[in-house]
Amino acid sequence: MTTHHTTTDNTTPPQRERTGKVVLVTGASSGIGEATARRLAAQGHHVVLTGRRTDRLHTITTDLTDHGHTAEARTLDVTDRDAFTELVSNVTATHGHLDVLVGNAGVMLLSRLESLLVDQWDRMLDVNVRGLYNGIAAVLPHFNDRRSGHVITIASIGAHQVSPTSAIYSATKYAALALTEGLRQEADPSIRVTTVSPGVVESELADHITDTHAAELMVGYRAAHIPSDAVARAVAYAIDQPADVDVNEIIIRPTAQR
Ligand code: NDP
């Protein structure tokens, strides 16, 4: 008599249920965004890497997919609200949903106020604040519909303290912290909201400073730094928590930073 067992065919590996999330990272072409995209992809999430330097995004994405991870590159200037909304619609249409937005894109064009580099003040406000809430506006309707989602903002230690040359940058980061915390309080209780505030992290951030005095100050200030992956690990930690645990805020800086 033949006994029938429900078994898995030895020649076919069992289908693994996909547990990875769909994560959109802004400013993923370098520094903290790139490290975050790499870490999350390596952990099994599907990462949508965005930024303006499409060539870099493609290089990183190709490297990730060559290593068996799942990732895609999409050109996005976060100051373009319509483009942000369209991209989120496109991602949700393609993948069925979006789980996490990492609002990381940012610029730090330090100078003393008396330098009157007002175009750079505008730039920081546009990217660090408008770029951030453009992202929130793009994902919130989708997160509300699904009653699920996670917004992670990369703010800064500059969201907690001001020093000479950082007035406008810190103003944008205080704003980033305020609007992320406001979202946490207002959002549907099923939506998680996290602010990560890094201290000095190795990246290209300070390379764009044009003010000589501020650039000189940065040499000493940035001497002690941590790798971008240190922040990526903090982001991964927040994502990894169970749905009922919301890591509200993390400050992470070099041990030697005062
Ligand atoms: P990088 O300069 O290496 O990265 C900045 C990223 O922002 C780039 O990928 C850049 O991509 C992107 N970006 C800039 N402008 C735009 C835009 N208009 N639209 C879309 N993307 C844009 O620096 P970091 O990795 O250090 O910076 C990441 C975040 O971390 C920033 O918000 C920064 O303020 C914050 N931070 C960094 C600290 C540090 O010490 N490094 C400390 C505290 C906070 P692209 O040019 O391709 O568009």
Side-chain angles (χ1 to χ4, degrees):
M1 185 179 143
T2 311
T3 313
H4 289 281
H5 297 285
T6 310
T7 56
T8 308
D9 180 348
N10 282 342
T11 57
T12 317
Q15 277 283 310
R16 280 243 178 105
E17 199 178 311
R18 193 181 145 70
T19 52
K21 298 187 171 182
V22 180
V23 184
L24 191 158
V25 181
T26 66
S29 51
S30 61
I32 292 169
E34 175 182 349
T36 300
R38 287 184 178 279
R39 174 157 289 274
L40 296 179
Q43 290 183 342
H45 300 293
H46 176 82
V47 184
V48 183
L49 294 93
T50 70
R52 294 165 307 167
R53 289 170 295 175
T54 313
D55 51 339
R56 284 214 194 191
L57 296 172
H58 280 299
T59 304
I60 300 162
T61 306
T62 302
D63 188 36
L64 289 171
T65 51
D66 282 352
H67 283 84
H69 308 313
T70 146
E72 65 190 270
R74 300 289 188 95
T75 308
L76 176 69
D77 183 330
V78 292
T79 64
D80 186 339
R81 187 174 306 155
D82 291 341
F84 213 143
T85 306
E86 196 181 321
L87 176 57
V88 169
S89 300
N90 205 279
V91 168
T92 56
T94 306
H95 300 284
H97 62 277
L98 173 68
D99 299 293
V100 186
L101 168 69
V102 182
N104 164 75
V107 285
M108 182 184 75
L109 306 167
L110 303 181
S111 61
R112 294 178 69 89
L113 293 170
E114 65 196 9
S115 299
L116 297 180
L117 296 171
V118 289
D119 288 344
Q120 299 193 356
W121 304 354
D122 285 344
R123 188 80 202 136
M124 286 190 280
L125 199 67
D126 282 345
V127 179
N128 301 0
V129 182
R130 289 200 179 89
L132 198 59
Y133 66 61
N134 285 344
I136 291 171
V139 300
L140 203 52
H142 176 64
F143 286 180
N144 278 334
D145 284 349
R146 290 188 76 220
R147 302 203 68 232
S148 173
H150 194 168
V151 174
I152 302 177
T153 294
I154 307 301
S156 171
I157 199 67
H160 296 266
Q161 61 191 45
V162 188
S163 54
T165 75
S166 87
I168 304 292
Y169 178 70
S170 288
T172 67
K173 292 300 185 176
Y174 273 76
L177 179 64
L179 76 93
T180 310
E181 170 59 12
L183 173 67
R184 189 189 69 77
Q185 294 181 22
E186 290 180 15
D188 185 276
S190 59
I191 295 171
R192 300 195 293 173
V193 183
T194 303
T195 307
V196 178
S197 288
V200 182
V201 176
E202 192 175 21
S203 78
E204 298 172 13
L205 192 69
D207 298 354
H208 308 290
I209 297 171
T210 62
D211 182 79
T212 320
H213 170 68
E216 279 166 7
L217 280 181
M218 279 297 101
V219 176
Y221 181 73
R222 297 185 71 80
H225 51 255
I226 49 177
S228 291
D229 186 59
V231 182
R233 291 198 298 273
V235 172
Y237 169 77
I239 292 174
D240 278 354
Q241 300 310 303
D244 63 342
V245 176
D246 185 11
V247 178
N248 299 156
E249 193 176 357
I250 299 175
I251 295 180
I252 173 167
R253 56 187 146 192
T255 309
Q257 188 178 343
R258 293 293 148 239

